[in-house]
Amino acid sequence: MKNLLGPINTPSRVVVFAFLAVILVGTGLLSLPVAAEGERASLPSALFTATSAVCVTGLAVHDTASHWSFFGELVILALMQIGGFGIMTLSSILALVVSGRLGLRARLNTQAETKTLGPGDVRQVVTGVVKVTLVVEALTAAVLTARFVAGYDEPIGRALYYGAFHAVSAFTNAGFALWPDSMMRFVTDPWVCLPLALAVVAGGLGFPVYAVLRENWRRPSRWSLHAKITLGMTAVLTAGGTLAITATEWNNPGTMGLLAPGLRIMAGFFHTTMTRSGGLNSVDTSQMNENSWLISDVLMFIGAGSGSTGGGIKVTTFALLGFVILAEVRGEPDVSAGRRRIPEQLQRQALTIALLSVAFVALGTFVMMMLTPFKLDRVLFEVISAFATVGLSTGITADVGTAGHLVLTTLMFVGRLGPVTLGAALALHMQTRRFRYPEERPLVG
């Protein structure tokens, strides 16, 4: 453990302190009188909002549009952009650092398989992330702006602002909205809901996937295993989640029950994509069935792709654990996927990240149950939403008190940076022993 926290983990420390510094600056700016419409924000609420924006979560103590001034909204917009861009860039660079720590043969094998960039291509990573970010956000903002002007008679200046703000919020998976009901007023409008949902999916894929698609988008056989897992799991979780959420909410008059059948499916798709870390909502999440909350809990905990703006334990981690189980059930000596063997080190990393995440969620839920009067289902939803940096809520965020806000703030910070930095730290800490202990088999199960 001492070595894990020592100089070998310096890149991970840089990520943590960089995000902490931005959060503190954002807290200071949001604490200014000019940042609020009326009474200035308290330090805990400013810290909560800044953390939620930088960690691209979207949980809010105050209504964004009515509480914060135009200056405050611009601060939140900047924090979302910095947080989303930063996590995509830094996680991709950490992957290069990890690759650089490997031996020459292992590094060449890794790059040949994953199609990752070499350790000296940091500039190419940054440039690539900037291009992907600007293209997706610009396209989304253009569609939204046109819709706000043509469909809702908004002045061009306000439409541009609304379009840009929500495009950034969607692509960064931040989940902040400039309306008190988030996107509920647009639940029947595909020209608003679908661009936002697609932007969230795009932000949740990650730059490593885009780097592969750029080179071999017409030849799936040459895609890296990471890209195949990310795209495949995204499709499966989105389709399965849409089917499950739509089915459980089909006759619920508080959410989708009063919509036309096609609009119910669109609302189910929108909610499913937002559980991937998007955080916006087109139906009242607080009125959902408990079954839908449970389905959402699972989707939020799994999250989006590695190296993306999304949170959760990541779809690759979840898939690797599934491959481990499948190999064990089949009695196979090696864990494999797509005709590639998964290293034991990577299996242990996935298991470590998943179990530590479960521990944080369990501990956070226990503490929140002690601090608040709310029942387990609502508290668990809130804790997973914070830890997985999603931003959806059953409506209790503003009512958990200052102590509860500090717990959620901690969960957002740990959940945003924990899987990224822990994965890098474990990989960098990989060591070779010249001896092995005698084997003994304790009983399992």
Side-chain angles (χ1 to χ4, degrees):
M1 179 61 70
K2 180 178 180 180
N3 290 335
L4 182 59
L5 299 176
I8 195 173
N9 196 23
T10 299
S12 300
R13 287 184 175 182
V14 170
V15 174
V16 172
F17 285 113
F19 269 74
L20 183 60
V22 176
I23 289 173
L24 294 178
V25 171
T27 301
L29 293 175
L30 292 176
S31 299
L32 297 174
V34 70
E37 290 284 2
E39 183 179 356
R40 65 186 297 177
S42 64
L43 186 60
S45 65
L47 174 63
F48 185 94
T49 305
T51 305
S52 184
V54 175
C55 296
V56 290
T57 305
L59 290 175
V61 178
H62 307 290
D63 173 51
T64 304
S66 62
H67 180 80
W68 302 106
S69 66
F70 180 66
F71 173 79
E73 292 173 3
L74 289 181
V75 171
I76 293 174
L77 176 63
L79 294 177
M80 289 190 300
Q81 189 71 284
I82 292 172
F85 174 78
I87 200 65
M88 285 187 72
T89 304
L90 292 175
S91 57
S92 298
I93 291 176
L94 278 178
L96 300 183
V97 174
V98 169
S99 178
R101 293 287 305 184
L102 303 174
L104 177 59
R105 178 177 298 179
R107 185 164 66 250
L108 292 176
N109 290 338
T110 299
Q111 292 175 6
E113 161 56 22
T114 63
K115 311 296 189 298
T116 56
L117 304 173
D121 294 329
V122 173
R123 180 180 299 179
Q124 188 173 349
V125 170
V126 175
T127 303
V129 172
V130 169
K131 289 180 180 179
V132 171
T133 301
L134 293 181
V135 168
V136 176
E137 290 181 352
L139 290 175
T140 306
V143 175
L144 294 178
T145 300
R147 183 56 180 167
F148 291 147
V149 171
Y152 300 93
D153 297 324
E154 293 285 358
I156 184 63
R158 184 182 300 175
L160 278 169
Y161 176 58
Y162 284 166
F165 186 96
H166 293 95
V168 172
S169 181
F171 178 74
T172 61
N173 282 217
F176 282 89
L178 294 178
W179 293 282
D181 59 357
S182 189
M183 295 292 129
M184 290 174 58
R185 63 187 63 194
F186 304 110
V187 65
T188 61
D189 191 343
W191 290 102
V192 174
C193 290
L194 293 183
L196 289 174
L198 293 177
V200 168
V201 174
L205 293 179
F207 177 71
V209 173
Y210 289 116
V212 171
L213 295 180
R214 181 188 59 186
E215 299 293 333
N216 297 293
W217 68 276
R218 290 184 176 180
R219 293 172 288 185
S221 60
R222 296 191 178 185
W223 292 356
S224 68
L225 182 58
H226 169 77
K228 291 178 181 178
I229 291 176
T230 302
L231 293 171
M233 288 298 299
T234 297
V236 170
L237 291 174
T238 301
T242 300
L243 179 62
I245 292 294
T246 305
T248 54
E249 296 297 318
W250 189 265
N251 295 317
N252 185 352
T255 55
M256 308 175 188
L258 302 180
L259 300 175
L263 295 178
R264 297 183 203 184
I265 297 175
M266 184 177 74
F269 170 74
F270 188 87
H271 179 80
T272 299
T273 57
M274 294 304 154
T275 60
R276 302 291 310 288
S277 198
L280 300 169
N281 60 285
S282 64
V283 297
D284 190 350
T285 311
S286 66
Q287 298 298 315
M288 282 185 156
N289 296 315
E290 294 179 354
N291 291 340
S292 299
W293 287 346
L294 180 59
I295 296 169
S296 301
D297 288 341
V298 174
L299 293 174
M300 290 190 298
F301 185 76
I302 295 172
S306 299
S308 73
T309 58
I313 63 171
K314 303 297 187 296
V315 292
T316 45
T317 302
F318 181 74
L320 286 180
L321 295 178
F323 292 136
V324 170
I325 294 174
L326 184 61
E328 189 64 25
V329 170
R330 291 177 173 177
E332 297 177 352
D334 295 322
V335 177
S336 59
R339 297 184 179 180
R340 293 292 186 273
R341 180 169 53 85
I342 306 299
E344 293 183 3
Q345 177 76 8
L346 200 59
Q347 300 171 38
R348 294 197 297 269
Q349 291 175 22
L351 182 62
T352 301
I353 290 173
L355 290 182
L356 284 179
S357 298
V358 170
F360 271 107
V361 169
L363 179 60
T365 302
F366 175 77
V367 174
M368 290 291 288
M369 289 288 290
M370 295 181 63
L371 297 175
T372 67
F374 301 106
K375 293 183 179 180
L376 175 62
D377 49 6
R378 291 181 181 271
V379 172
L380 180 63
F381 189 101
E382 198 81 6
V383 167
I384 294 178
S385 181
F387 180 80
T389 67
V390 177
L392 294 173
S393 174
T394 59
I396 68 173
T397 306
D399 302 320
V400 299
T402 301
H405 290 151
L406 292 177
V407 172
L408 293 177
T409 300
T410 303
L411 287 170
M412 287 188 288
F413 187 78
V414 173
R416 173 70 281 179
L417 299 178
V420 175
T421 56
L422 179 60
L426 291 174
L428 292 171
H429 186 60
M430 184 172 57
Q431 297 179 351
T432 302
R433 274 185 176 175
R434 298 185 181 277
F435 66 92
R436 301 180 72 182
Y437 292 109
E439 183 180 279
E440 184 172 349
R441 294 177 176 268
L443 296 178
V444 176

